[in-house]
Amino acid sequence: MEPIKHALVLTGDVLPGFDAENVWPALAAYFRMEPDRLKAELLARAPISIKESDDLAKLQKLQDGASAVGAATELQALGNDDNLFVLVDGSPRGPIPHVFVEDRVRRGDWPSSISVATVGSANWRPFIVPTSPATDLDQQATVAFSPLSAQTVAQPSSSGSPAPEMRMSAANPAAGSASDHADMESGDMLPEGNIVNAGFWRRVAAYVIDSIILSVASLIFFALIGGLGWAASDSPGLAFFIMFLGYVGLIVGMWLYFAKFESGPRQATPGKRAMGIKVTDDKGNRIGFGRATGRFFGKIISGMIFNIGYMMAGFTGRKQALHDMMAGCCVVFRDVEPGKPMPTVRPKMPWYGWVLNCLPILGIVIMFASWGFMMNQFLGMASSEMNMAETEMADIDMSDFSDLEETMDTSSGVDADEAAAVRAGMTSVFMVATETQAEVAGIADGGGDCPAEERTSNNSWIEAIQIGGISPECTVTVRLSSSSDIPFAARIERIEWTYMGGAWECESSMAADLLPFDCN
């Protein structure tokens, strides 16, 4: 007989006698997760299945650990039914087993009108409690309807099961009367979560597209303005006035571009449309031109203090930047509509989105490279002048600079025995790091997010292993121990590897002659 597969469901509740402020950080530590990640990925979607296995003892052990810190969980035997998402208070929860939803409905914890969707599908439908011979006829005749349509109780047929026409209505709640559809407008606030709200990097990619469009338009516009200014060069006052009007026209053009597109029928600029996102109010409705105008000029405040207002879109609950909050707006995915079921699957970032995200970084690199080139040119000119001055200082004894040359040695300066001991120890450190790199590379190559965690090691040379970064550029950082058991030259040092498209790049605070592997 094959073992029965079970699922461990995190309900999101706290056991009696425990304080929620202490439970969730303790559970995050038990699961070896960051508390913010636990909140965003598990608690925001609870109840949610956190582990499925046919090893019941293993799941019971995991359940005991969660109970020890005060987190409520349930073990459910899985049948042949698909796992489901459930729409609770307008927010998708799950995935959870079909039998879990059935139990909640039978106990009265959830209404019979609750909407569900099979994992991998965006087709929301009403949940229908399965019937059994022992079930009362009135219960057999109860059919769950979507909360967007009226709830009706069917009369049982002669066979004791729901009438066929009622089953058809339950399977297609959109086939109701016109009065049913009038109730589809919802005044509820948009829920928090990555399934509804567009993330920071997707918005950056959209802004890059819009910036390219505006830059091309600005070049053409200023070429025309420059021609007019050159024609009026005989009159400096008129030329200045033309250039002033040019800058005013640039601001007006940017304002109309964002405000008209974001308050228009598509609710999105061309950049946002390309990334599958749009601008709404905090209830998911289309915004007007006035609110779009306020949102545009609110960007001035968002960028005033080192662009912190923009960066807020990366960590606020609804992924709102400061100007979004000021205007009461949200940036959501295209499929989010008021009065319609929330999506269950977060759209993946298009490949070109990641390319667009690299453009600002490339621009910064080019800026610093240009700055470095200019500095080299400046230093070269200064060096030429110094060489000319040296011809007038031939009588100076250059032997005084011999000590300076000795300080230019890039080696570690430790004796041979200590260097050999460090290299031997670093070989074992490298073996541990290689195992972690293989795990992280597999996640990055599979399109997953970089893990964000800190690990310990049985290796006495390693204080901690930190994993982080933004996929696909994940990082593995090894901090060496401060213990007196390892040579002084290796204590509290750091080695960091960054995954760069199939290869690892290394950076270390240690001297190169102490490392048995290549590292900058």
Side-chain angles (χ1 to χ4, degrees), residues 186-501:
S186 173
D188 295 336
M189 298 280 286
L190 285 172
E192 298 182 3
N194 293 332
I195 296 178
V196 174
N197 303 284
F200 176 79
W201 292 110
R202 194 179 297 258
R203 294 179 61 172
V204 169
Y207 189 76
V208 171
I209 295 175
D210 291 328
S211 297
I212 293 173
I213 295 173
L214 289 171
S215 296
V216 173
S218 298
L219 287 174
I220 298 173
F221 177 72
F222 272 107
L224 297 174
I225 293 296
L228 293 175
W230 181 80
S233 57
D234 294 338
S235 176
L238 179 59
F240 175 81
F241 181 71
I242 292 174
M243 294 304 296
F244 173 76
L245 289 180
Y247 282 105
V248 172
L250 176 65
I251 296 173
V252 171
M254 294 177 63
W255 160 49
L256 293 176
Y257 177 88
F258 284 99
K260 291 292 287 183
F261 274 123
E262 291 173 355
S263 63
R266 296 183 181 270
Q267 302 173 246
T269 60
K272 289 184 174 66
R273 287 174 57 188
M275 298 308 299
I277 59 179
K278 63 183 180 181
V279 179
T280 70
D281 65 9
D282 52 14
K283 297 179 181 178
N285 299 306
R286 174 180 167 184
I287 63 174
F289 182 78
R291 182 174 295 199
T293 297
R295 182 177 183 273
F296 172 78
F297 287 104
K299 295 177 182 179
I300 298 174
I301 300 177
S302 291
M304 285 179 62
I305 308 177
F306 307 108
N307 291 323
I308 292 177
Y310 285 99
M311 290 186 282
M312 289 172 62
F315 53 82
T316 52
R318 291 186 176 85
K319 306 300 181 183
Q320 292 172 294
L322 180 58
H323 53 275
D324 292 321
M325 295 181 178
M326 294 170 61
C329 295
C330 292
V331 180
V332 302
F333 290 105
R334 182 185 297 145
D335 293 337
V336 176
E337 294 288 346
K340 293 184 179 180
M342 294 293 105
T344 60
V345 179
R346 175 181 173 83
K348 290 185 178 180
M349 170 80 85
W351 65 267
Y352 53 83
W354 294 117
V355 174
L356 292 168
N357 277 310
C358 292
L359 292 182
I361 300 175
L362 181 61
I364 294 174
V365 171
I366 293 175
M367 181 183 68
F368 278 103
S370 302
W371 179 81
F373 176 77
M374 293 175 60
M375 289 299 298
N376 285 334
Q377 294 295 316
F378 173 77
L379 292 175
M381 294 173 58
S383 177
S384 298
E385 294 181 1
M386 290 178 63
N387 289 334
M388 294 177 61
E390 285 177 357
T391 60
E392 301 176 2
M393 301 174 63
D395 57 331
I396 296 179
D397 186 6
M398 298 303 294
S399 62
D400 295 337
F401 294 92
S402 59
D403 293 336
L404 177 62
E405 294 178 359
E406 294 177 1
T407 63
M408 298 299 291
D409 186 10
T410 59
S411 64
S412 61
V414 302
D415 60 63
D417 291 338
E418 183 176 0
V422 171
R423 283 192 290 271
M426 292 306 298
T427 299
S428 67
V429 170
F430 182 72
M431 296 300 293
V432 174
T434 300
E435 296 177 1
T436 306
Q437 290 173 9
E439 175 187 348
V440 174
I443 295 174
D445 291 340
D449 294 331
C450 300
E453 60 184 90
E454 182 172 298
R455 300 178 179 177
T456 58
S457 174
N458 294 329
N459 191 312
S460 61
W461 283 60
I462 298 177
E463 178 73 23
I465 301 175
Q466 294 177 319
I467 306 174
I470 299 175
S471 184
E473 296 183 6
C474 301
T475 60
V476 175
T477 305
V478 175
R479 297 203 318 266
L480 300 183
S481 173
S482 59
S483 171
S484 59
D485 295 334
I486 68 174
F488 181 83
R491 295 176 196 169
I492 326 179
E493 296 293 341
R494 177 188 62 82
I495 306 96
E496 180 177 291
W497 288 272
T498 303
Y499 192 63
M500 303 291 290

Side-chain angles (χ1 to χ4, degrees), residues 57-294:
K58 182 177 180 180
L59 292 180
Q60 288 174 335
K61 183 178 179 180
L62 187 63
Q63 183 182 37
D64 292 341
S67 299
V69 299
T73 58
E74 291 186 21
L75 272 174
Q76 293 283 355
L78 298 179
N80 297 324
D81 297 311
D82 294 328
N83 286 340
L84 301 174
F85 284 98
V86 183
L87 199 64
V88 179
D89 297 330
S91 176
R93 309 295 177 91
I96 49 180
H98 186 283
V99 67
F100 183 89
V101 182
E102 182 180 335
D103 288 347
R104 285 289 179 99
V105 172
R106 290 187 184 280
R107 296 201 309 254
D109 295 336
W110 285 343
S112 61
S113 59
I114 196 163
S115 294
V116 297
T118 304
V119 172
S121 169
N123 182 26
W124 288 92
R125 58 180 175 79
F127 182 77
I128 302 177
V129 179
T131 62
S132 64
T135 307
D136 183 82
L137 290 181
D138 291 336
Q139 292 178 336
Q140 289 183 6
T142 301
V143 181
F145 277 78
S146 167
L148 303 181
S149 60
Q151 181 174 337
T152 308
V153 179
Q155 297 300 322
S157 65
S158 59
S159 61
S161 59
E165 62 274 12
M166 295 309 299
R167 291 185 178 182
M168 182 67 72
S169 179
N172 185 18
S177 64
S179 61
D180 294 334
H181 291 278
D183 295 332
M184 292 183 64
E185 290 296 330
S186 173
D188 295 336
M189 298 280 286
L190 285 172
E192 298 182 3
N194 293 332
I195 296 178
V196 174
N197 303 284
F200 176 79
W201 292 110
R202 194 179 297 258
R203 294 179 61 172
V204 169
Y207 189 76
V208 171
I209 295 175
D210 291 328
S211 297
I212 293 173
I213 295 173
L214 289 171
S215 296
V216 173
S218 298
L219 287 174
I220 298 173
F221 177 72
F222 272 107
L224 297 174
I225 293 296
L228 293 175
W230 181 80
S233 57
D234 294 338
S235 176
L238 179 59
F240 175 81
F241 181 71
I242 292 174
M243 294 304 296
F244 173 76
L245 289 180
Y247 282 105
V248 172
L250 176 65
I251 296 173
V252 171
M254 294 177 63
W255 160 49
L256 293 176
Y257 177 88
F258 284 99
K260 291 292 287 183
F261 274 123
E262 291 173 355
S263 63
R266 296 183 181 270
Q267 302 173 246
T269 60
K272 289 184 174 66
R273 287 174 57 188
M275 298 308 299
I277 59 179
K278 63 183 180 181
V279 179
T280 70
D281 65 9
D282 52 14
K283 297 179 181 178
N285 299 306
R286 174 180 167 184
I287 63 174
F289 182 78
R291 182 174 295 199
T293 297

Side-chain angles (χ1 to χ4, degrees), residues 21-36:
E21 293 184 359
N22 300 324
V23 169
W24 305 127
L27 185 66
Y30 178 63
F31 287 161
R32 296 185 179 180
M33 297 175 65
E34 293 292 332
D36 290 342

